[in-house]
Amino acid sequence: MEKRTPLIAGNWKMHKTCAEAVDAAKTLVHLVSAVTERDIMIAPVFTALYPVSAILDGTQIHLGAQNIHWEDEGAFTGEVSGKMLISAGCRYVIIGHSERRQFFHESDQWVNLKIRAAVKSNLIPVMCIGETETEYEQKNTLSVLDKQIKKGLEGSFSDSLANLVIAYEPVWAIGTGKTAKSAQAQEVHHYIRSLIEKLFGNVLAKSIRIIYGGSVKPENISELMNQPDIDGVLVGGASLIPETFSRIVLYQ
Ligand code: PEP
């Protein structure tokens, strides 16, 4: 089986001032200093990116942003481009998080433009997909994911997506304390990988990292990571406290 380096990513959402983010990053660097063969990423708010990048410089923790605009620059008040994220020290960018889809009406078409912008800027896109509780109850999970993937990646070629990460985050599991059972998550991840194979071929399907998000904690990380198609996790709430996040990073 193809060996994929696990990605353990923390989404800090709209939390932490610059000073708090720097403090948390310093503590995390210390706590995970012995980790090898695992990619770690934290995504602070825009204002904290640059100061946190100075703390992460030369460590094995990568910096990520929580959003990107598809233009390089221009009259887009409140937006930040890929070129700017790179200049702040970012390596990753989270795109299409369910909170952006829900509260800021981000469409699959916007997600598509943002993924292209990330690839063009040399950022690793973490494309978030997932069904709502109603869609889950109506057993529409796979058709929802199908549409989000096809539209989000429309017009792409497998070589432009070589670094793409897909984060499957059932919306009903985000910040709710409810987690998909690991076997259930595995089934969905397997479906996503088969769809990637159908759309972009076997090479990308084997190498792409498909990570899980939704109330991941130190208590459930090992079981999730034991599943063959789960290549990492995107962690919200539990990533805010470095001690807790480091226990997730250090799972056995
Ligand atoms: C998230 O926001 O991506 C997330 C998974 O949040 P939480 O871990 O708090 O459910």
Side-chain angles (χ1 to χ4, degrees):
M1 196 178 81
E2 187 88 4
K3 186 168 162 16
R4 297 178 289 266
T5 307
L7 170 63
I8 312 296
N11 172 14
W12 287 358
K13 309 193 182 187
M14 198 173 74
H15 292 283
K16 300 189 191 295
T17 61
C18 287
E20 288 164 351
V22 163
D23 270 1
K26 279 184 183 161
T27 309
L28 188 64
V29 165
H30 173 70
L31 289 169
V32 302
S33 61
V35 175
T36 53
E37 294 176 15
R38 260 168 222 185
D39 283 347
I40 309 167
M41 181 270 268
I42 51 173
V45 292
F46 283 140
T47 48
L49 288 174
Y50 191 56
V52 168
S53 80
I55 309 301
L56 303 187
D57 195 27
T59 75
Q60 77 278 54
I61 307 178
H62 297 284
L63 189 64
Q66 299 174 20
N67 193 12
I68 181 174
H69 190 268
W70 52 85
E71 294 291 345
D72 280 343
E73 57 183 30
F76 300 101
T77 303
E79 296 292 322
V80 176
S81 73
K83 179 169 112 176
M84 293 159 190
L85 296 179
I86 289 280
S87 78
C90 289
R91 181 80 190 102
Y92 287 81
V93 58
I94 299 171
I95 295 175
H97 189 277
S98 64
E99 286 151 16
R100 297 226 46 95
R101 293 178 188 260
Q102 188 183 347
F103 303 129
F104 303 97
H105 312 295
E106 272 194 22
S107 62
D108 291 320
Q109 285 74 14
W110 280 27
V111 169
N112 186 287
L113 288 169
K114 289 176 181 212
I115 290 185
R116 287 160 186 269
V119 169
K120 189 180 109 193
S121 307
N122 256 331
L123 287 159
I124 300 175
V126 178
M127 178 173 91
C128 301
I129 55 172
E131 80 285 6
T132 62
E133 186 147 36
T134 313
E135 291 163 341
Y136 172 69
E137 279 164 3
Q138 293 173 346
K139 304 202 182 318
N140 285 334
T141 299
L142 301 185
S143 63
V144 168
L145 300 182
D146 213 87
K147 173 176 160 286
Q148 289 175 335
I149 291 174
K150 285 182 179 154
K151 293 226 174 276
L153 301 179
E154 196 164 39
S156 304
F157 299 100
S158 58
D159 53 351
S160 63
L161 297 177
N163 282 325
L164 174 75
V165 175
I166 294 181
Y168 167 56
E169 301 203 293
V171 181
W172 49 268
I174 296 181
T176 57
K178 297 182 201 169
T179 327
K181 295 206 171 59
S182 51
Q184 196 182 355
Q186 161 58 26
E187 228 177 274
V188 176
H189 281 228
H190 183 72
Y191 174 79
I192 296 169
R193 201 176 299 285
S194 334
L195 181 59
I196 293 294
E197 179 169 6
K198 207 161 87 187
L199 297 173
F200 300 105
N202 183 261
V203 173
L204 185 67
K206 277 190 168 156
S207 64
I208 193 169
R209 290 186 291 184
I210 306 171
I211 65 175
Y212 172 80
S215 299
V216 174
K217 305 181 262 303
E219 292 73 26
N220 56 22
I221 178 71
S222 303
E223 205 190 319
L224 287 162
M225 291 306 296
N226 266 332
Q227 305 299 319
D229 287 297
I230 299 185
D231 306 312
V233 284
L234 180 54
V235 187
S239 72
L240 291 171
I241 301 163
E243 288 73 14
T244 310
F245 188 56
S246 70
R247 287 172 55 211
I248 296 176
V249 172
L250 294 161
Y251 74 89
Q252 295 291 323

